[in-house]
Amino acid sequence: QRMFPLFSRLDNGLQPMASIVESFITSMGNACVEKRQAKLDGGEKEKNDDPEFVKSLIDLHEKYLGVIRETFSGHHLFQKALKNSFEVVVNQDVGQYSNAELMSTFCDRVLKSGGEKLNDSEVEESLDRIVQLFSFLTDKDLFADIYRNQLAKRLLNQRSSSDDAEKLMIAKLKVQCGTQFTSKMEGMLNDLAVGNDQKSEFDARMEQHDTKLSFSVQVLTTGFWPTYKTPEVSLPANMTKCLEIFTEWHDAKHQKRKLSWVHSLGNATVKSIFGKKSYDLQVTTLQAVVLNTFNDGKTFDFNELKKILNLNDITLKPLMHSLSCGKYKVITKTPANNKINSTDSFTANAKFSSNMRKIRIPMASLDPSHNKNRVEEDRSWAIEAAIVRIMKARKTLKHQELIAEVLSQLSFFRPQPR
């Protein structure tokens, strides 16, 4: 505190101090990164979720932001030193998962129900801090892609703790990166709001038909949401009838829109009876279709199920694994092991019992958390668009000057000049 006013009287007296502060903060940040590396080297299982590491970076930034405000009166040289040091630390990826994915998963923990137990003001404070950390990230487009996938899962599975918190986070990202960055996320929230308005209208239409199923549909706009696998599963007759009723209603209302069904994202509650007890199984639509096949105690081998359900190995194996090898084994597999093979046979587990009446049977996602190839493709388009913009404005430019101009225009990622 005494050195700062003393050195500030000298010409360029603060620059050496700022350099020392920058190298010190960088070393403290590197210590956090090295601690994570040591944990992974020690044999800890790697996950895309490391809240301890992200919190350590947030706390470090909060601490030295306070030091620069109080001790160095928020001087621009020291603010730049903090920025430079965190740009080095935040962009040091350790292990299989990038820091962009760890930060996005931290947001997911804060925003989904059953994640971090925080009140409204603590949620806002956590989001403020993570967005400050995000501002130092080079691969902002990668963060956006992963965040959008996780946002979609929260919204479609109704796992979001608060719509207001979701809007708040998107608003913070919008301030940081602009409208283009968040337009798809805003479109996703808007889809759900519009869907809620139309739901009551379709529910009234469904009451005119005796389908014996409680059925609702969420219509999504293709451009806003991530792309998902769309397995063409063979649905039972009563499900097919519901789809036909909705398609007829929707086509009459929106003649120029084309519907494409994504059954891998649907969910269902299946009433099942094992022995004398009945259970409500909360499952995905695909799991519900499989369970329906095993009515009346039938037994099928893997290849028979493939033909009946019209599913390939890549989709059917995780499906059968969730129902026969997970915590709740509602289907019995022969031979009894934890791997699904094409020679296995399956039947309903007559001996199944549980203390809970409502049982949620999770299933591994058929889609990855993000598509790296698509991110790379989007980057190449962004680079080409930037080059066209610059050359239209400047007409003639030396190669090195063009590279420098392109690098200055691309704010969501840093391309390799080569």
Side-chain angles (χ1 to χ4, degrees):
Q1 277 182 321
R2 290 175 180 177
M3 284 175 71
F4 175 68
L6 192 64
F7 277 70
S8 61
R9 296 177 185 179
L10 301 172
D11 291 339
N12 298 322
L14 292 176
Q15 187 61 57
M17 275 184 77
S19 299
I20 293 165
V21 168
E22 183 179 327
S23 60
F24 175 74
I25 296 173
T26 305
S27 69
M28 296 301 287
N30 286 339
C32 295
V33 175
E34 285 160 14
K35 187 180 174 185
R36 172 168 159 76
Q37 181 70 67
K39 274 165 57 179
L40 296 177
D41 292 344
E44 185 173 307
K45 189 181 176 185
E46 196 172 352
K47 296 186 293 185
N48 68 342
D49 184 18
D50 192 349
E52 190 184 323
F53 172 66
V54 177
K55 279 178 182 173
S56 69
L57 292 181
I58 288 172
D59 292 342
L60 190 74
H61 180 259
E62 195 73 12
K63 179 182 177 182
Y64 289 107
L65 185 64
V67 168
I68 281 157
R69 280 174 181 163
E70 291 167 24
T71 308
F72 302 113
S73 305
H75 194 279
H76 68 91
L77 281 176
F78 294 92
Q79 287 190 357
K80 190 182 176 189
L82 179 73
K83 179 176 178 283
N84 292 345
S85 57
F86 266 86
E87 279 177 351
V88 171
V89 173
V90 166
N91 292 298
Q92 280 188 65
D93 294 338
V94 173
Q96 180 187 345
Y97 298 103
S98 65
N99 288 348
E101 187 158 359
L102 296 176
M103 287 162 65
S104 179
T105 307
F106 182 82
C107 295
D108 190 50
R109 282 175 70 94
V110 171
L111 291 166
K112 77 177 174 188
S113 54
E116 299 275 328
K117 299 286 187 285
L118 303 171
N119 60 36
D120 289 351
S121 60
E122 287 171 333
V123 166
E124 186 169 356
E125 190 181 338
S126 294
L127 296 180
D128 267 332
R129 289 177 168 192
I130 197 72
V131 169
Q132 283 179 337
L133 209 58
F134 161 80
S135 67
F136 304 117
L137 197 63
T138 304
D139 296 331
K140 290 184 173 67
D141 58 340
L142 181 61
F143 175 93
D145 195 61
I146 299 165
Y147 185 85
R148 196 161 63 100
N149 274 281
Q150 292 173 332
L151 171 64
K153 283 181 184 173
R154 287 197 299 276
L155 295 178
L156 295 175
N157 297 331
Q158 290 158 3
R159 296 289 305 278
S160 181
S161 60
S162 159
D163 282 351
D164 291 338
E166 296 288 4
K167 287 173 185 171
L168 183 68
M169 180 62 182
I170 292 170
K172 290 179 189 300
L173 292 173
K174 191 174 183 178
V175 169
Q176 192 70 237
C177 297
T179 310
Q180 181 194 346
F181 191 80
T182 57
S183 59
K184 289 182 178 179
M185 300 175 201
E186 289 174 315
M188 288 158 72
L189 290 176
N190 190 49
D191 269 358
L192 295 193
V194 171
N196 287 336
D197 294 341
Q198 292 187 354
K199 186 177 180 298
S200 54
E201 194 179 328
F202 176 65
D203 286 348
R205 179 67 171 270
M206 277 298 287
E207 284 173 10
Q208 299 169 16
H209 299 269
D210 182 24
T211 58
K212 296 179 182 175
L213 289 180
S214 175
F215 176 74
S216 64
V217 179
Q218 183 63 62
V219 180
L220 313 177
T221 308
T222 307
F224 296 147
W225 297 77
T227 29
Y228 296 105
K229 287 180 182 171
T230 53
E232 293 293 327
V233 63
S234 298
L235 297 173
N238 51 0
M239 283 191 181
T240 306
K241 187 181 177 184
C242 292
L243 262 59
E244 287 168 356
I245 293 167
F246 182 82
T247 304
E248 186 189 323
W249 174 82
H250 184 270
D251 288 352
K253 203 169 175 60
H254 310 283
Q255 291 172 5
K256 292 183 181 178
R257 291 187 191 172
K258 182 176 177 261
L259 279 180
S260 174
W261 295 92
V262 188
H263 299 303
S264 58
L265 294 181
N267 51 61
T269 302
V270 176
K271 188 174 182 182
S272 54
I273 299 167
F274 293 93
K276 292 180 180 177
K277 287 183 77 175
S278 71
Y279 301 93
D280 287 343
L281 305 181
Q282 295 175 330
V283 291
T284 65
T285 302
L286 294 177
Q287 286 173 314
V289 173
V290 172
L291 289 170
N292 185 69
T293 312
F294 287 94
N295 275 337
D296 307 322
K298 293 174 184 172
T299 301
F300 299 99
D301 65 33
F302 186 82
N303 290 319
E304 284 177 321
L305 282 172
K306 267 175 70 175
K307 284 180 186 173
I308 293 166
L309 299 170
N310 190 34
L311 293 173
N312 58 24
D313 287 24
I314 295 166
T315 307
L316 189 55
K317 280 187 176 179
L319 253 176
M320 298 313 298
H321 189 277
S322 67
L323 297 169
S324 62
C325 303
K327 185 178 177 183
Y328 303 105
K329 296 179 175 64
V330 289
I331 287 175
T332 304
K333 183 176 93 72
T334 310
N337 55 35
N338 281 338
K339 193 174 180 188
I340 304 293
N341 296 306
S342 55
T343 53
D344 294 346
S345 64
F346 305 89
T347 187
N349 182 4
K351 295 178 182 175
F352 176 79
S353 71
S354 172
N355 294 330
M356 293 189 294
R357 189 171 173 276
K358 274 190 179 179
I359 300 169
R360 183 173 169 268
I361 303 178
M363 177 188 157
S365 175
L366 298 175
D367 301 280
S369 64
H370 66 287
N371 187 337
K372 269 198 166 179
N373 293 338
R374 191 177 67 234
V375 173
E376 290 297 331
E377 205 175 280
D378 289 349
R379 286 180 175 184
S380 67
W381 290 342
I383 293 167
E384 286 171 16
I387 292 169
V388 170
R389 268 199 313 274
I390 293 160
M391 294 312 297
K392 280 178 85 172
R394 305 285 286 275
K395 308 298 185 219
T396 308
L397 210 58
K398 287 182 180 176
H399 184 251
Q400 285 305 112
E401 289 174 357
L402 176 62
I403 289 173
E405 193 81 29
V406 169
L407 290 173
S408 70
Q409 283 202 16
L410 298 169
S411 55
F412 299 155
F413 65 97
R414 194 176 296 279
Q416 295 300 323
R418 291 181 186 178

